[in-house]
């Protein structure tokens, strides 16, 4: 899977996640699992310039997956907000 495909699929999964948390609902576990899996792939193909950010994002995605599995809405919402901040920083700093 190439960078563009991973990024497109991550965007779709993240949009499904945020559409739920924006309404105060727990994210769909399948969408979060997809995001976590894709973020690990992104970390594997990351350039040295942004590998640290990719690793951080992957870690947050895995924390979100754990929170969703536990049914922890409050932590899930906070982690989604952290992921949004990480995504914004990465896109602002390393625009492809």
């Amino acid at each position: 899977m190439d960078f563009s495909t991973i990024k497109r699929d991550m965007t779709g999964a993240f949009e499904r996640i945020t559409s739920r948390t924006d309404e105060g609902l727990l994210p769909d576990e399948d969408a979060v699992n997809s995001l976590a899996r894709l973020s690990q792939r992104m970390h594997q193909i990351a350039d040295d310039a942004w590998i640290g950010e990719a690793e951080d994002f992957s870690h947050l995605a895995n924390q979100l997956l754990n929170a969703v599995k536990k049914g922890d809405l409050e932590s899930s919402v906070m982690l989604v907000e952290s992921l949004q901040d990480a995504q914004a920083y990465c896109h602002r700093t390393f625009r492809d």
Side-chain angles (χ1 to χ4, degrees):
M1 196 177 272
D2 68 349
F3 173 83
S4 297
T5 302
I6 295 170
K7 186 174 176 183
R8 182 197 67 224
D9 292 351
M10 282 179 71
T11 299
F14 202 46
E15 286 172 357
R16 289 190 320 242
I17 292 165
T18 57
S19 71
R20 301 258 314 156
T21 57
D22 287 348
E23 294 187 20
L25 302 171
L26 195 64
D28 176 67
E29 187 174 333
D30 288 339
V32 177
N33 190 38
S34 179
L35 181 71
R37 182 179 44 81
L38 290 163
S39 68
Q40 288 173 352
R41 285 189 182 169
M42 183 67 81
H43 177 237
Q44 291 170 346
I45 67 165
D47 291 334
D48 288 343
W50 51 275
I51 195 165
E53 285 76 11
E55 183 177 14
D56 291 345
F57 193 90
S58 181
H59 181 71
L60 287 169
N62 283 308
Q63 286 183 316
L64 176 59
L65 181 58
N66 289 332
V68 169
K69 285 181 177 182
K70 293 178 184 176
D72 187 346
L73 177 61
E74 184 178 342
S75 292
S76 295
V77 169
M78 289 180 1
L79 286 161
V80 168
E81 290 171 357
S82 294
L83 283 162
Q84 287 173 315
D85 290 344
Q87 178 188 47
Y89 173 79
C90 192
H91 287 177
R92 192 171 53 248
T93 307
F94 303 104
R95 210 42 155 162
D96 54 342

